[in-house]
Amino acid sequence: MEESNNRRKPTKKKVVAVVGGGLVGSLNACFFAKRDFVVEVFESREDIRKAKIVKGRSINLALSHRGRQALKHVGIEEKIVSKGIPMHARMIHSLLGKQSPIPYGKKGQYILSVDRANLNKELLTEAETYPNTKLNFDHKLLDWSEETGLMTFARSDGSTEQIKADLIVGCDGAFSATRKQFLRRRLFNYSQTYIPHGYMELTMPPINGEFAMKPNYLHIWPRNTFMMIALPNLDKTFTCTLFMPFEDFEKITTGDGVIQFFQKYFPDTIPLIGIDALKRDYLHLPAQAMVSVKCSPYHIGNKCVLMGDAAHAVVPFYGQGMNAGFEDCIVFDELMDQFSEDFSAVLPEYTRVRVPDDHAISDLAMYNYVEMRAHVNSRWFLFRKHVDNFLHFLMPKTIIPLYTMITFSRTRYHEAVKQWHWQNKVINRGLVLSTTGAVLGGSYLLIKNPPNINKLIINAEKMWKSLVTLSTS
Ligand code: FAD
Ligand code: EGU
């Protein structure tokens, strides 16, 4: 006798084709499999669990609340979290090598550094545990038909295959092939923006078998137009990501040039990465591009829907791309309950509720990119975070830092932005009122007791000095 839990349940169900077996595709396969659909995943690459070298984007990622909630829905939160490294605070590195921690929040509020390849492997393996799911590697979507739902795939041997599905779920990343069909349609909005910055990943090895820097932090070197970020890995290395305008990347063409540049901007990292490794890593691969893609709607009829980067590639300056893509899956899943899995109702509703939120995080990430490169050095970064935390301390219920709502809650992204605008208004009003009050009060006192002019000058000088120290410490 066959084991009953290995047998396919009676096929009341439709065929769902998930295009893309990356982070969002493999997670989504689990969501659809749980609902007993016949799930077929089509991934253009080979099975990364068998591949020797995995090339691709960033090596590790910051996983936060939204992403964790999605993993919890398919029962693998603990498995992933146990292989993640908690980051309780940022560690800000000044030019002189001074390190200042700024906690993300209270004790339980931390984000996790997770390995992209491992996360993807675990998700694929999880998807495969469902008997109603099949993973098809080496299947690159070329095109699909709106009328018939027929998809055409290219195989590496040069052949093509045609496969039909009831629903196509495009999770094929920022350069989505699924999305091509959308571009031909009336009333489809689309925009794509490359930012002038590129990024490059450098590995910081362990020293005497230990992490070269404190492990439970997101290390940041804010340097206006340049920025570096480092996240810890399980093997006690750090992956450092250098963000810089392509123009500047191109100016550095020799090993000595690399060291000179690091000597000037990130001197504390040279002995930690190592001179030779630094030169080698830097010159090994060109900097990679970052693109922001926005579009709407996310669906076509009851036939096709986009999720993850295929729907909204965002710049990485809020650490939310994957988290937002994972949350897409929860939102869709909730609508499937609400509308009894009726695709013709779920798909338009998904577009209606999700577009404003994904566009909000896309805008926020872009805003933060502009903000950081404009004038954020280590001092300013520390100052701003302290101001935020102080205001939150004064009015814990009223003023919540934006990153807290984005990172540690499932507050809808667009609501978080609204709340943030409102808070800024309150803060500005508070500032105007207290300034007015101070000026009026001061004038009154001055009129009542005319001051000794010498004392006044001395006091003014003292006040100025303390202000300067405040804003520069
Ligand atoms: P992808 O991961 O791109 O997966 C798409 C999959 O589809 C791939 O496997 C690809 O091979 C496959 N595919 C492509 N075309 C086809 C086709 N035609 N047919 C079949 N299959 C196809 N996010 C965070 O939440 N936290 C972070 O800290 C973070 N840091 C980042 C740092 C950097 C430098 C960058 C660039 C991004 C970062 N992100 C982060 C964003 C995150 O990487 C993405 O949002 C996430 O990978 C999106 O997952 P996805 O599955 O939608 O797309
Ligand atoms: C960029 C690249 C610090 C991983 C935004 C913070 C990021 C990450 C921040 C990358 C920053 C920037 C936040 C988190 C996170 C901060 C956040 C950015 C992870 C506002 C692997 N960003 N990132 N904000 O607050 O909310 O610490 O490549 F430098 S995690 Cl740019 Cl919380």
Side-chain angles (χ1 to χ4, degrees):
M1 273 261 287
E2 240 182 303
E3 259 177 42
S4 64
N5 61 354
N6 273 343
R7 212 182 305 148
R8 202 168 263 197
K9 299 208 178 120
T11 50
K12 56 166 178 151
K13 289 294 187 167
K14 295 183 167 162
V15 178
V16 174
V18 175
V19 180
L23 300 178
V24 174
S26 51
L27 174 70
N28 231 342
C30 300
F31 271 96
F32 284 104
K34 265 175 76 119
R35 294 186 172 276
D36 282 338
F37 286 100
V38 177
V39 181
E40 298 270 354
V41 178
F42 299 100
E43 165 58 48
S44 58
R45 294 171 302 176
E46 285 300 325
D47 189 342
I48 51 164
R49 294 167 299 177
K50 293 175 188 147
K52 287 197 189 73
I53 17 159
V54 185
K55 57 173 169 49
R57 267 169 312 148
S58 67
I59 297 156
N60 51 26
L61 307 129
L63 173 67
S64 50
H65 182 70
R66 297 169 201 264
R68 283 183 65 162
Q69 285 300 110
L71 295 171
K72 192 176 184 166
H73 269 78
V74 299
I76 57 166
E77 185 191 15
E78 279 320 306
K79 195 171 197 173
I80 302 303
V81 167
S82 68
K83 287 197 177 168
I85 301 176
M87 299 183 287
H88 302 277
R90 313 103 170 150
M91 186 66 90
I92 309 302
H93 294 242
S94 81
L95 202 49
L96 298 173
K98 185 172 179 236
Q99 300 189 29
S100 321
I102 313 176
Y104 276 115
K106 295 183 202 69
K107 191 104 184 59
Q109 289 186 318
Y110 57 85
I111 55 178
L112 288 156
S113 174
V114 298
D115 182 275
R116 176 193 291 272
N118 179 64
L119 177 56
N120 204 161
K121 287 174 189 175
E122 299 274 17
L123 284 166
L124 288 169
T125 299
E126 180 62 24
E128 241 175 7
T129 62
Y130 295 89
N132 47 328
T133 298
K134 185 161 171 251
L135 305 180
N136 305 277
F137 296 99
D138 181 25
H139 277 72
K140 182 180 177 176
L141 181 77
L142 294 178
D143 209 351
W144 62 279
S145 157
E146 251 177 78
E147 287 71 38
T148 59
L150 201 65
M151 298 170 287
T152 309
F153 293 97
R155 310 295 313 275
S156 54
D157 63 8
S159 65
T160 59
E161 248 175 58
Q162 296 212 307
I163 297 163
K164 222 174 119 87
D166 297 298
L167 177 66
I168 300 171
V169 185
C171 304
D172 47 351
F175 307 100
S176 171
T178 315
R179 201 175 55 214
K180 276 190 214 150
Q181 196 69 30
F182 287 64
L183 286 163
R184 304 192 184 112
R185 289 171 64 90
R186 207 162 69 93
L187 303 182
F188 181 66
N189 287 310
Y190 178 84
S191 77
Q192 159 181 318
T193 309
Y194 277 95
I195 58 172
H197 275 60
Y199 73 94
M200 184 180 275
E201 292 178 314
L202 308 160
T203 304
M204 183 182 285
I207 294 177
N208 298 327
E210 266 314 312
F211 280 106
M213 303 182 295
K214 288 195 167 172
N216 296 107
Y217 295 87
L218 190 153
H219 291 264
I220 307 175
W221 293 256
R223 301 286 185 271
N224 303 341
T225 51
F226 315 133
M227 177 174 79
M228 195 155 72
I229 274 193
L231 273 68
N233 298 305
L234 273 186
D235 65 1
K236 306 206 168 171
T237 61
F238 277 94
T239 303
C240 306
T241 311
L242 171 63
F243 296 91
M244 182 159 86
F246 277 107
E247 249 179 61
D248 296 290
F249 271 118
E250 280 150 22
K251 278 187 202 145
I252 304 170
T253 53
T254 64
D256 289 343
V258 176
I259 301 304
Q260 264 175 36
F261 172 77
F262 269 73
Q263 195 60 54
K264 189 161 177 201
Y265 295 103
F266 311 103
D268 58 334
T269 65
I270 297 179
L272 304 182
I273 301 176
I275 291 187
D276 293 333
L278 188 51
K279 291 180 185 174
R280 180 172 20 85
D281 278 9
Y282 188 101
L283 300 170
H284 174 58
L285 288 172
Q288 309 204 62
M290 286 169 279
V291 70
S292 178
V293 173
K294 272 172 136 181
C295 68
S296 168
Y298 289 163
H299 74 287
I300 295 181
N302 59 359
K303 273 268 165 325
C304 181
V305 62
L306 303 174
M307 297 196 207
D309 279 16
H312 49 80
V314 306
V315 293
F317 298 93
Y318 238 101
Q320 283 293 314
M322 165 192 63
N323 287 290
F326 281 9
E327 195 178 48
D328 289 346
C329 303
I330 310 181
V331 169
F332 192 88
D333 192 61
E334 286 168 352
L335 294 174
M336 289 284 273
D337 278 339
Q338 211 174 314
F339 294 94
S340 319
E341 302 183 351
D342 172 6
F343 296 154
S344 56
V346 173
L347 268 57
E349 190 61 8
Y350 173 74
T351 286
R352 195 185 69 78
V353 305
R354 199 54 183 164
V355 166
D357 290 324
D358 287 331
H359 285 198
I361 191 60
S362 176
D363 293 344
L364 268 184
M366 188 60 88
Y367 172 87
N368 207 41
Y369 160 67
V370 173
E371 183 90 346
M372 298 271 307
R373 75 169 174 189
H375 54 236
V376 177
N377 55 21
S378 58
R379 229 188 252 152
W380 180 253
F381 192 98
L382 290 167
F383 179 69
R384 278 311 311 265
K385 295 294 166 194
H386 284 136
V387 169
D388 279 5
N389 288 345
F390 179 66
L391 289 168
H392 177 57
F393 168 81
L394 282 183
M395 297 171 275
K397 288 262 162 61
T398 317
I399 295 188
I400 299 163
L402 179 60
Y403 79 85
T404 305
M405 294 188 274
I406 299 297
T407 308
F408 298 114
S409 82
R410 277 204 57 212
T411 306
R412 292 184 61 182
Y413 286 128
H414 91 273
E415 296 284 359
V417 172
K418 251 209 226 141
Q419 169 83 6
W420 178 54
H421 287 307
W422 179 83
Q423 287 177 184
N424 287 341
K425 238 190 206 159
V426 171
I427 294 167
N428 286 337
R429 283 228 180 107
L431 275 176
V432 170
L433 282 177
S434 54
T435 314
T436 320
V439 168
L440 288 178
S443 317
Y444 173 76
L445 288 176
L446 281 174
I447 292 162
K448 283 213 71 174
N449 351 282
N452 172 333
I453 192 74
N454 285 330
K455 250 194 196 162
L456 196 69
I457 290 170
I458 291 165
N459 281 336
E461 236 168 314
K462 273 191 196 156
M463 261 170 66
W464 177 248
K465 273 188 191 149
S466 65
L467 262 180
V468 170
T469 4
L470 183 74
S471 65
T472 57
S473 62

